[in-house]
Amino acid sequence: MKPSFFDLTYDELKTLLKEKGFSPFGATQIFDWVYKKGVYDPFKWTNVSKASQQYFSETYDLSLLKVVWNGLSKDGTRKFLVKMSDGQTVESVAIPARDRLTLCISSQVGCAVGCTFCHTATQGLKRHLKTSEVVLQFVTIQNWLKETVGVEEKITNIVYMGQGEPLHNFENMKKATLVFMNEKGLGLGQRRITLSTSGLVPAIEKMAQDFPPVNIALSLHSARNDVRTELMPINKVYDLERLFKAIKMIPLKAHRRITYEYLLIEGMNDSMDDVIALSGLLNSKESKINLIPFNEFPGSKYKRPSEQKIMWFLDQMIKRGFTCTIRTTKGSDILAACGQLKSEFEKLNLWDGNSQVIIPSIASTVLQNQAL
Ligand code: SF4
């Protein structure tokens, strides 16, 4: 099998061209064709030498991922199930908001972290995604939107908040980020990319030295070790003290503020004790708190707090000087909680591995019937 072109960073492409006796300046043209113009046939790269066209056509795979299902929520969120060359699938979600279109990207097939509130955790870790499979979620969906919805549908932001723990797949996520940020290609600025982590301390320490300076979101969910351990077993290994030591190593000049994701769960982390612990742990000037009312899924043991309780928690944090917002649940009518779609397909045997026609029709009926 040929290697994927989308595994190459700009610098690697330049080195490769040099090694093969082509002009390294060709990297600029090739990145332009692939990432700016969306032309994936090397023989159409008209300002590139015939010999390098031939070389890339023979040596590299420039195919995109297969979109095997997509669902459009009434709030405009569009969820995709994409298939990779080994038949594994992951989810990506395009979320529109005001002047931006954010793509939520997966980093692994399944996840090893085992958060007790998360649907993806029930699948365990199957494998890391390759650099190309991360990059191709963007390229494939951008291309799909252009062809299906229209040119104005441009992805402007990326969040690594899909399936998987991105820092567990450090090198591939780093390389994919370099591809996303390269000005000769997609040119996404550092403020347009957000990496969300569950708190893998050694990788956070490494990240402070050796990762492009993107926004950081930490899945905190509790400022009390006992509660956090119950929600996120990773806290047993890297408790809040160790975690915050590592977080302090991240240079805040580039990141301005760190976002703390806080899933609000009824009776678990929504009391006054939790408010006091949270405001004691975080620095109000360097933090932004994103409250996420729990999105219940079939079989989940946790409950979403009442609207009144959610507003009370928000108010308490604002009163204590924090920038605190509530993240509205997007796309709940299309199973947008991470990992839900893939599992439901597998459970109901809707996913036969290659059908692109039957699945959407059956799935939409099932979704309409609220049978999931
Ligand atoms: S919440 Fe994220 S880190 Fe935790 S199990 Fe789910 S995918 Fe993994």
Side-chain angles (χ1 to χ4, degrees), residues 165-184:
E165 161 54 63
L167 290 183
H168 190 200
N169 188 11
F170 192 95
E171 290 305 326
N172 289 327
M173 296 310 290
K174 178 182 154 187
K175 273 183 67 177
T177 305
L178 290 172
V179 173
F180 290 138
M181 291 175 79
N182 195 284
E183 286 169 5
K184 305 288 193 299

Side-chain angles (χ1 to χ4, degrees), residues 5 17 26 30 46 64 84 104 112-113 122 130 135 140 165 179 188 218 223 238 278 281 308 327 343-344 364-365:
F5 172 87
L17 288 167
I30 294 175
T46 48
L64 306 189
M84 293 159 296
C104 178
V113 175
T122 61
K130 298 176 199 158
V135 171
T140 302
E165 161 54 63
V179 173
L188 287 172
L218 177 86
Y238 307 115
L278 188 57
L281 180 68
Q308 202 184 0
R327 195 205 292 164
S343 293
E344 293 306 331
S364 58
T365 312

